[in-house]
Amino acid sequence: MHITTRAAKSGTLVIVVAGLVTAVLHGLPEPADIAVAPTVEQNSTAWAMPLDAYVAPGSSKTAYAEDLVTQPCLRKAGIDGPPPWATAAGLQAESDADDSAARANPSPALATTRPLTAALAETRGYHGPSTAGANAEGMKAWAFDPDRQAGFAALPQDVLSRCWAAARQRLGTGTGGSADAASELAQRLTYLAAVDARQDESVVTAAAGWRSCMAPSGVTDLPTGPEGMPTPSMRVSGRDGDEVVPFLPTVGKAEVAVAERDAACQDSSGYRKALYGAEWDRLLHVTVTDAAVLRKGSTRWAQVDARVDRAITRLAPEAPADAD
């Protein structure tokens, strides 16, 4: 999320956080004994989780689609200057990188992120998706252009409100605070379930098998489970005199080789299957407090996400050849 979005939603988070931990950890005052019907079908390849349908599309992508759709209305009001190029994939990657719950989850299992797979290991090792397609510098220059800012300042607030309201209604993105609260909650519960699932006996046993499988990889500080990858030693690519050279922005062959072995060992040891089952099961029951928040949420975000992607594809300026 963008900083402004976080600030706006901070009050909502304070309300729901009290019920979060009890959803997956036991022995606390409010038990997680309310059954929740999964909103998606099980799919370990996509790492689909029961609460995924409550999760709103990435905020960067949504904001860009709204900017594109609102242009005709703003142009009539006297503000001309469409947004610069950006790609849906780049904006999604930017949203994933900005999402606090995703950042806190070393073994991603949120609706907006995916755990390591053989395909990802081959193409980018342990690196995240490229945010080049978000065109962050171009978007910043456009948003803070002095003439554009002056134009907005001169327009009556009701005119601006009508333009943005029409765009959000068209895209389905203006659902209100209760849907946002449910989205935040679903992501946080999924993160907590992912962390707690690693303590499941079946997962611990499989992790030991994974570690044995990884022994020939040459990684000197192998963790007890895949959630510790890449390790501290892997984040240092070398030294330049007395200076440590950190994890390189480009993906190297050595990193890819370890990542590919990691993904293969997760499969052969049964770790991935055990973790998926343990995490899924932990999300089938929530607390009374959390159930009330989810009931007020929306499970139509997949349709909205598709609409946002279509709007970007149709309305965005063409990206340069070297953009992701």
Side-chain angles (χ1 to χ4, degrees):
M1 291 174 287
H2 296 305
I3 293 174
T4 53
T5 306
R6 282 201 194 100
K9 294 179 180 176
S10 60
T12 299
L13 285 173
V14 169
I15 292 172
V16 302
V17 161
L20 296 180
V21 178
T22 57
V24 292
L25 304 182
H26 303 289
L28 294 179
E30 191 176 6
D33 55 3
I34 304 299
V36 176
T39 61
V40 296
E41 294 184 1
Q42 285 187 300
N43 184 336
S44 61
T45 300
W47 212 255
M49 285 294 150
L51 305 182
D52 278 358
Y54 288 108
V55 180
S59 57
S60 293
K61 191 168 66 172
T62 299
Y64 183 61
E66 291 174 353
D67 286 334
L68 292 168
V69 172
T70 200
Q71 283 310 297
C73 180
L74 291 178
R75 193 175 298 116
K76 289 180 180 178
I79 297 180
D80 197 5
W85 72 269
T87 67
L91 292 165
Q92 182 64 60
E94 182 178 72
S95 292
D96 290 346
D98 286 346
D99 188 273
S100 57
R103 267 205 319 274
N105 187 355
S107 181
L110 299 174
T112 54
T113 57
R114 297 291 180 262
L116 186 66
T117 63
L120 293 180
E122 180 183 1
T123 56
R124 66 183 197 224
Y126 290 105
H127 281 66
S130 172
T131 60
N135 190 17
E137 289 303 315
M139 293 292 290
K140 182 178 179 181
W142 170 76
F144 291 98
D145 177 76
D147 292 337
R148 180 177 172 79
Q149 293 291 315
F152 275 115
L155 274 183
Q157 186 59 47
D158 63 321
V159 174
L160 291 175
S161 296
R162 283 198 301 271
C163 287
W164 290 111
R168 287 166 180 158
Q169 183 177 18
R170 181 175 168 185
L171 290 168
T173 54
T175 54
S178 60
D180 289 338
S183 176
E184 296 279 3
L185 175 61
Q187 291 183 73
R188 185 63 177 163
L189 290 181
T190 303
Y191 158 63
L192 291 172
V195 172
D196 195 54
R198 295 200 292 265
Q199 309 306 314
D200 193 270
E201 183 178 350
S202 66
V203 177
V204 172
T205 299
W210 168 87
R211 197 172 193 278
S212 296
C213 178
M214 286 292 291
S217 67
V219 178
T220 57
D221 52 348
L222 272 177
T224 56
E227 72 277 0
M229 300 292 284
T231 68
S233 71
M234 295 175 66
R235 294 184 183 278
V236 176
S237 61
R239 290 182 177 273
D240 182 6
D242 294 332
E243 297 295 322
V244 171
V245 180
F247 206 50
L248 295 174
T250 55
V251 181
K253 291 182 179 180
E255 177 192 341
V256 168
V258 174
E260 288 182 325
R261 185 177 189 91
D262 182 355
C265 288
Q266 286 190 45
D267 281 336
S268 64
S269 66
Y271 179 87
R272 186 181 175 90
K273 180 179 180 180
L275 182 67
Y276 184 79
E279 184 178 345
W280 178 277
D281 289 346
R282 279 161 171 74
L283 288 165
L284 297 179
H285 292 82
V286 299
T287 68
V288 170
T289 299
D290 293 339
V293 174
L294 292 175
R295 276 196 297 271
K296 295 178 182 178
S298 172
T299 57
R300 297 186 58 81
W301 286 120
Q303 294 92 317
V304 174
D305 190 49
R307 203 175 299 132
V308 164
D309 282 347
R310 288 195 298 270
I312 292 173
T313 299
R314 182 168 54 86
L315 300 173
E318 186 174 352
D322 58 350
D324 290 345

